[in-house]
Amino acid sequence: MPWTSEHTKWLIDTGERLKTADGKEVEVWEFRHENDEAVLSAWAKHFRNHYCLDAEIDFLRGKQTRKDYLNTLKFPCCSTKLGPGIRAGDFGEILVADYLQWLLGFWVPRVRWGSKVIRDESPKGSDVIGFRFHKKDCSTSPKDMLIVFEAKTKFSGSGKNRLQDAINDSAKDHLRIGESLHFIKQKLFDKGNRKQAELIDRFQNPVDVPYKESFGAAAIISDEHFDTNVIVPSDCGKIPKAPKSKDHIPHPNGDSLVLLVIKGPGMMNLVHELYRRAADEA
C-alpha cells in the first residue's frame, strides 16, 4: 500500500490553547519534522499517491518519465505565480487529512487532489471530509460521525489571519455537503472501489438516518509567520454575509466548531522538498 502514517509522529499537541475574540478555544499543535530519510521517503510516496496512484502512473504518463509527468501535469508548479500557493494549500489539506485519519481515527477518502483538471488551481468544494462508523461492521448508528474541515496555510509574509479565513470558508460547508459527498462517492466508484463508495450512502440521508456532524477550521503556519496577536482576533460570530460585504452573520456551527493551528519551522522549504522527493523517487 502507498499510504503511511510515520510522519504524523512529528505532529505534537503543545497543550497551548488560545482564545478567540468570541471565546472559542484554539488548539495549538507543532509539526516537529526531522531530517529522517526513511520517514521522508515514505511520506513522499504517500504524498505522491494523492495526485496519482503508483499503480496507475505508468499508463497515464505516456512517453514521459514518471518525474516529468508528475512535474508537468500533476504537481502544482514551483515557479509560476499561483503554483507555490497551491502547493502550500494542498500540503496543508493533506496534513489535516492525515491528522483526522491517523490521530483522530476517521476514514478520509483521498480523492480530491488527483481529480484536478488544472494543476495550479484548488479543487472546488470542502477541503477535507472524514467519516467514522461507531460499529466495526460499518452498520448504521446514530453515533456515526461526519467531520468537515477547512484548511488554510500561511508560509509567507502575508498579514492575513488564515484561521479567520478557514472559519469563514467553514461557514459554507453545511451547504455543500451533499455535493461533496456525491463527488467522493463518484470518484471512489470510478476507481473501482465500489464497497467504499457504498459506505458514503450512509451519510447522504441524514434526515431518515441521522448521524453526528462536526466542523473544523485549521490554519497551518510557518514558525516565522506565527503570531498569536493575529490569530486571537478570530471571531466565529462575524462571518461576512457575502464576499466583500460589511454585513456579518454567525457561523452556523460556531458553538461546536473545532479550531486548530499547526505551526512548524521552515514549512515552505519542507513543502518544496516533499514535492521534489515525490517526483525524484517515483
Side-chain angles (χ1 to χ4, degrees), residues 134-172:
H134 181 68
K135 298 179 181 179
K136 291 184 178 180
D137 64 359
C138 296
S139 57
T140 59
S141 165
K143 294 183 180 180
D144 295 340
M145 179 176 284
L146 179 150
I147 189 167
V148 186
F149 247 88
E150 290 297 316
K152 302 296 181 185
T153 56
K154 185 178 181 181
F155 298 161
S156 67
S158 167
K160 287 185 176 181
N161 180 350
R162 297 300 273 159
L163 181 61
Q164 185 67 61
D165 290 341
I167 292 169
N168 293 349
D169 277 3
S170 172
K172 299 178 284 188

Side-chain angles (χ1 to χ4, degrees), residues 14 19 61 63 81 85 88-89 94 104 135 158 214 217 234 250:
T14 67
K19 288 289 185 180
R61 67 185 173 90
K63 300 293 185 180
K81 181 179 180 180
I94 294 171
L104 300 189
K135 298 179 181 179
S158 167
S214 180
S234 301

Side-chain angles (χ1 to χ4, degrees), residues 8-280:
T8 61
K9 68 184 181 183
W10 295 332
L11 197 52
I12 307 297
D13 184 355
T14 67
E16 181 182 3
R17 299 295 183 265
L18 304 176
K19 288 289 185 180
T20 63
D22 57 329
K24 302 294 188 299
E25 186 175 89
V26 182
E27 297 183 17
V28 180
W29 289 61
E30 287 185 359
F31 192 61
R32 301 173 185 171
H33 53 93
E34 302 174 4
N35 189 25
D36 184 317
E37 287 293 321
V39 175
L40 289 171
S41 289
W43 184 20
K45 179 179 180 180
H46 167 87
F47 196 77
R48 177 176 66 246
N49 276 265
H50 286 77
Y51 292 91
C52 180
L53 292 174
D54 285 351
E56 299 174 356
I57 190 171
D58 286 334
F59 171 77
L60 294 172
R61 67 185 173 90
K63 300 293 185 180
Q64 290 181 293
T65 64
R66 293 180 178 183
K67 179 178 178 179
D68 286 345
Y69 170 71
L70 292 168
N71 283 333
T72 61
L73 291 176
K74 299 302 289 184
F75 292 163
C77 184
C78 65
S79 59
T80 58
K81 181 179 180 180
L82 298 178
I86 299 300
R87 281 189 167 205
D90 286 0
F91 171 89
E93 292 170 5
I94 294 171
L95 187 61
V96 169
D98 292 339
Y99 162 79
L100 292 179
Q101 181 158 339
W102 304 118
L103 276 67
L104 300 189
F106 287 89
W107 167 49
V108 184
R110 311 298 177 118
V111 297
R112 173 176 169 84
W113 303 274
S115 302
K116 294 184 182 187
V117 176
I118 299 174
R119 63 189 182 124
D120 282 355
E121 289 186 359
S122 295
K124 304 296 183 184
S126 301
D127 289 345
V128 184
I129 299 181
F131 308 89
R132 181 191 287 157
F133 289 88
H134 181 68
K135 298 179 181 179
K136 291 184 178 180
D137 64 359
C138 296
S139 57
T140 59
S141 165
K143 294 183 180 180
D144 295 340
M145 179 176 284
L146 179 150
I147 189 167
V148 186
F149 247 88
E150 290 297 316
K152 302 296 181 185
T153 56
K154 185 178 181 181
F155 298 161
S156 67
S158 167
K160 287 185 176 181
N161 180 350
R162 297 300 273 159
L163 181 61
Q164 185 67 61
D165 290 341
I167 292 169
N168 293 349
D169 277 3
S170 172
K172 299 178 284 188
D173 278 332
H174 71 289
L175 300 174
R176 50 193 181 192
I177 285 178
E179 292 173 333
S180 295
L181 290 177
H182 176 262
F183 171 81
I184 293 171
K185 181 179 180 180
Q186 179 175 319
K187 289 301 177 181
L188 290 171
F189 180 80
D190 290 345
K191 291 289 187 180
N193 298 322
R194 188 184 182 97
K195 289 186 177 180
Q196 290 186 356
E198 289 172 347
L199 294 177
I200 305 300
D201 281 344
R202 185 270 168 273
F203 296 93
Q204 291 184 293
N205 188 8
V207 176
D208 294 334
V209 192
Y211 53 82
K212 296 181 178 180
E213 288 183 347
S214 180
F215 295 84
I220 303 90
I221 305 172
S222 199
D223 278 349
E224 57 269 32
H225 304 297
F226 177 77
D227 186 347
T228 58
N229 293 322
V230 173
I231 296 168
V232 294
S234 301
D235 194 334
C236 299
K238 292 184 178 180
I239 309 298
K241 192 172 183 179
K244 299 182 180 180
S245 172
K246 294 183 179 180
D247 295 327
H248 293 83
I249 58 173
H251 191 291
N253 303 99
D255 290 341
S256 58
L257 188 66
V258 178
L259 302 180
L260 174 69
V261 169
I262 300 173
K263 63 190 185 78
M267 296 293 274
M268 198 65 219
N269 289 338
L270 175 65
V271 168
H272 289 313
E273 171 62 14
L274 190 60
Y275 277 102
R276 184 197 65 78
R277 282 179 176 267
D280 287 352

